[in-house]
Amino acid sequence: MIKLKLAQKISVFTVFLIFISVIISVMISGNWYIQKMMISIEENTLNVVKVTAMSPVIVDGLKTQSQNKDIQKVIEETQTSIEGIDVMVVADINGIRYGHTKSDRVGKLFSAEDNFNAIKYGETYVSIGPGTLGESLRAFAPVKDENGTILGFVMAGTLLDSIENAKRDIFYMIAIFVLISGSIGVLGATILSYYIKKSLLNYEPEDIARLYLENQGILSTVREGVIAINELGKITLINETAKKYLHVQECVGINIDEIFPLAKLTNVLTTKKSNLDVQFALKDRIVIANNVPIITDNGKVIGGVCSFRDQTELNNLAEEITGVKKIVGALRATTHEFKNKLHVILGFIETKRLEEAKSYIGGINDELQETISDVISHIDEPTIAALLIGKIQRMHELKIKWILDDDTNFSNKSEFAVNSLVVIIGNILSNAMDNLDSIDKNHKYIQLKLIEVDNQIVISIEDNGTGIKEKKLIFEKGYTSKAKNRGYGLYLVRQQVERYRGSIVIEDIEEGGSRFVIKLYNTKYD
């Protein structure tokens, strides 16, 4: 069995319907027209015989029984003037012809027998019967004198051959009409099937069904939320994961902005551009979304798709890893610093300069105790304190003066995520240290101020480096003025600040450096 494609099925079915419809319609209309034609012929012949039977010439001729040429002349003129009449006869009650379509048959006996009712009962009627010219549909009317006496009859007929020819012409026209309509139908079906298949991206129904089932299977297994909308912004598809995140049930047909306004998916309908890695807070979750427009081959936007995933766990893990790296880096710097000091002590011992070694050790201990004591007295959060101690050791190596503002006071009573603070403080201090290390300056310093008030934290980090020129670009992902594969530190800082719906202000200072002022709000306690 031959398997037809969608376009072929549409074409065959459409052509079949058109042919059946046209044939039925034409047959009905053709039969109706033939019936109307037959009725018209009957009425026409009846009218002819009625009028002819009242002709004074015919009445006088039959009354006097005179075989004159006037009756023949009336017959010939009547037949000539009226279309569709093939034969006319005028005869008396005995059937003797007084007029005939063929003049040589005048005076001869009327050969048919269907004139009986006309001469016997004076009826006017139509019958079908044989004649000298062939079978015909003919009408009879009696000829009467002024007293109503039947003198004879008038017959007018249309040969059945003529009627059949007329019917044949009608069926020829029907056949031509069917062929023309069928051709137009075939062309229309071909065009229709082409556009239908094009709109289906040349997929067959079986392919579409398979793709639909596959998509449903994929959507049910992915852990990301997926929502699709049409060009009006109404939801056309939503998977179970998205329903779970948004706490909704069936919402197909509802505008996306009523269900999920944070996604801003409708923006892609106007911009025609993808919006990737959009991060925002969805209740107690950190969500990252990708919005992509659905665009046809001719550039028309017919909808959009939003996929989003819960980044809370990944962010926590990333923050932990980042925080650990910061602390490990700080400890390495401290280790490196102490190795240098141990080398100095070892040198004093090797050269038998024990008093100088004791004095140097005492100085180191005092300096370390002072630094640790200063940090611990102002910062009661051990992870942040450890980070700062490590950074301070590195600053000593780089000949950068460390200043901890006297107003600093932080114990993290509002329960900010420590790893978020490690990311913010650690990255900004690292950038400041790198900047100061790259310039030739006698007096270099970095100052930190960390204040906690209620559910708010203010972080101020100042340095006297070269300052920041591109204040709008430094927080963009991948932007860096350093080597390649850098440019992620301040991007991570911005993410953490946005997580707490905070703000970052960069101020220029008189000594040519810059000051970062960061405010964080723990909305958990709002």
Side-chain angles (χ1 to χ4, degrees):
M1 183 177 179
I2 300 175
K3 186 177 181 181
L4 298 178
K5 294 185 178 180
L6 177 62
Q8 295 170 333
K9 290 179 181 177
I10 293 173
S11 299
V12 171
F13 187 67
T14 304
V15 170
F16 175 76
L17 287 180
I18 290 174
F19 268 110
I20 293 299
S21 301
V22 169
I23 290 173
I24 292 175
S25 300
V26 169
M27 291 300 295
I28 292 174
S29 60
N31 288 330
W32 176 83
Y33 183 79
I34 290 172
Q35 290 177 1
K36 293 288 289 183
M37 182 188 71
M38 295 298 293
I39 293 172
S40 176
I41 291 173
E42 291 179 4
E43 291 177 349
N44 184 47
T45 52
L46 282 172
N47 291 332
V48 170
V49 296
K50 287 179 182 179
V51 172
T52 305
M54 292 186 295
S55 172
V57 175
I58 293 175
V59 173
D60 290 342
L62 291 178
K63 187 175 183 180
T64 59
Q65 295 184 352
S66 58
Q67 296 279 351
N68 56 55
K69 296 182 179 180
D70 292 336
I71 293 177
Q72 181 64 23
K73 184 178 180 182
V74 170
I75 294 299
E76 291 176 354
E77 288 177 351
T78 301
Q79 188 172 351
T80 302
S81 62
I82 298 175
E83 186 178 356
I85 301 298
D86 295 320
V87 59
M88 286 191 72
V89 176
V90 176
D92 61 15
I93 57 174
N94 297 316
I96 304 301
R97 299 186 183 105
Y98 281 63
H100 194 282
T101 299
K102 303 291 186 181
S103 58
D104 59 341
R105 299 181 184 181
V106 174
K108 296 180 179 179
L109 187 66
F110 186 74
S111 60
E113 298 179 355
D114 52 351
N115 61 338
F116 180 77
N117 289 347
I119 59 177
K120 182 66 176 177
Y121 302 110
E123 295 180 0
T124 301
Y125 56 93
V126 174
S127 70
I128 295 177
T132 55
L133 297 180
E135 276 198 312
S136 60
L137 182 151
R138 45 200 184 179
F140 291 87
V143 179
K144 300 177 181 180
D145 61 10
E146 63 275 8
N147 298 319
T149 303
I150 298 174
L151 304 175
F153 65 90
V154 177
M155 186 275 289
T158 301
L159 295 175
L160 292 184
D161 288 343
S162 299
I163 296 174
E164 291 300 322
N165 290 335
K167 290 182 179 179
R168 194 178 300 112
D169 291 340
I170 292 173
F171 280 110
Y172 283 153
M173 292 299 297
I174 290 174
I176 292 173
F177 180 75
V178 170
L179 288 175
I180 293 174
S181 301
S183 300
I184 295 173
V186 171
L187 179 62
T190 303
I191 296 173
L192 175 63
S193 61
Y194 169 77
Y195 280 106
I196 289 177
K197 191 164 186 183
K198 185 178 179 182
S199 66
L200 297 176
L201 303 178
N202 292 324
Y203 283 109
E204 295 297 322
E206 298 82 5
D207 298 329
I208 296 173
R210 178 177 52 80
L211 288 174
Y212 173 79
L213 294 175
E214 288 178 355
N215 289 339
Q216 290 298 313
I218 292 171
L219 290 175
S220 64
T221 56
V222 296
R223 296 185 63 186
E224 291 189 349
V226 179
I227 301 177
I229 62 172
N230 60 17
E231 67 275 11
L232 301 177
K234 296 186 181 297
I235 297 174
T236 57
L237 180 147
I238 180 169
N239 70 346
E240 293 300 321
T241 305
K243 292 178 184 178
K244 179 180 176 182
Y245 284 157
L246 300 175
H247 304 289
V248 298
Q249 297 301 319
E250 291 302 324
C251 53
V252 173
I254 301 176
N255 194 288
I256 182 69
D257 291 334
E258 298 179 19
I259 302 297
F260 195 16
L262 291 174
K264 298 181 180 180
L265 180 56
T266 52
N267 290 351
V268 303
L269 301 178
T270 53
T271 62
K272 296 185 178 182
K273 294 181 179 179
S274 300
N275 194 6
L276 306 178
D277 297 330
V278 180
Q279 190 178 45
F280 51 85
L282 183 61
K283 295 185 178 180
D284 58 342
R285 298 174 181 270
I286 301 299
V287 174
I288 186 167
N290 294 313
N291 299 332
V292 180
I294 303 174
I295 304 176
T296 61
D297 293 338
N298 56 9
K300 181 181 178 181
V301 178
I302 60 173
V305 176
C306 173
S307 65
F308 57 97
R309 59 188 180 275
D310 185 1
Q311 285 291 98
T312 306
E313 294 180 2
L314 290 178
N315 278 353
N316 291 338
L317 181 60
E319 289 168 7
E320 290 178 7
I321 294 173
T322 306
V324 170
K325 285 185 177 180
K326 295 293 181 184
I327 295 172
V328 170
L331 294 176
R332 284 177 178 171
T334 302
T335 303
H336 187 269
E337 175 70 12
F338 274 94
K339 281 184 179 180
N340 290 337
K341 295 183 185 317
L342 288 174
H343 288 156
V344 174
I345 295 171
L346 181 62
F348 282 134
I349 294 174
E350 290 289 340
T351 57
K352 309 294 184 181
R353 299 162 64 181
L354 298 180
E355 292 299 324
E356 293 181 10
K358 293 178 181 179
S359 176
Y360 184 72
I361 292 171
I364 293 174
N365 186 57
D366 292 341
E367 181 182 353
L368 179 60
Q369 288 297 328
E370 182 180 352
T371 300
I372 294 174
S373 177
D374 191 32
V375 171
I376 292 177
S377 63
H378 290 83
I379 297 176
D380 196 25
E381 167 54 56
T383 304
I384 302 301
L387 172 69
L388 294 179
I389 292 170
K391 292 292 184 184
I392 291 169
Q393 295 295 336
R394 179 59 180 160
M395 290 181 201
H396 282 305
E397 289 184 3
L398 300 176
K399 309 300 180 186
I400 299 172
K401 182 179 180 181
W402 162 254
I403 303 173
L404 183 64
D405 193 278
D406 292 336
D407 293 331
T408 295
N409 180 24
F410 181 67
S411 59
N412 200 19
K413 293 179 180 179
S414 299
E415 299 180 0
F416 284 83
V418 175
N419 292 319
S420 296
L421 300 178
V422 169
V423 171
I424 295 171
I425 297 172
N427 276 296
I428 295 178
L429 287 178
S430 295
N431 281 2
M433 292 161 60
D434 290 343
N435 180 259
L436 289 170
D437 187 44
S438 66
I439 62 175
D440 185 12
K441 201 170 189 177
N442 293 328
H443 174 64
K444 304 176 185 179
Y445 76 88
I446 294 176
Q447 180 174 341
L448 169 69
K449 182 178 181 181
L450 178 58
I451 300 175
E452 179 182 11
V453 180
D454 296 330
N455 63 335
Q456 178 181 352
I457 293 178
V458 179
I459 304 170
S460 175
I461 299 176
E462 176 183 319
D463 69 79
N464 64 337
T466 59
I468 298 174
K469 297 179 181 178
E470 301 292 343
K471 294 183 176 63
K472 293 183 178 180
L473 297 177
I474 60 172
F475 296 105
E476 296 297 324
K477 186 177 182 180
Y479 176 81
T480 181
S481 59
K482 305 171 187 176
K484 293 182 179 180
N485 300 322
R486 302 287 295 274
Y488 292 92
L490 292 180
Y491 169 73
L492 294 174
V493 170
R494 187 191 71 178
Q495 281 191 320
Q496 298 305 322
V497 172
E498 289 177 350
R499 173 182 176 181
Y500 286 99
R501 299 184 183 180
S503 62
I504 305 176
V505 177
I506 303 176
E507 302 172 350
D508 295 327
I509 63 174
E510 294 181 359
E511 298 183 32
S514 60
R515 180 186 299 114
F516 282 75
V517 180
I518 299 170
K519 295 181 179 180
L520 305 178
Y521 303 90
N522 197 338
T523 55
K524 176 180 178 181
Y525 293 93
D526 287 351

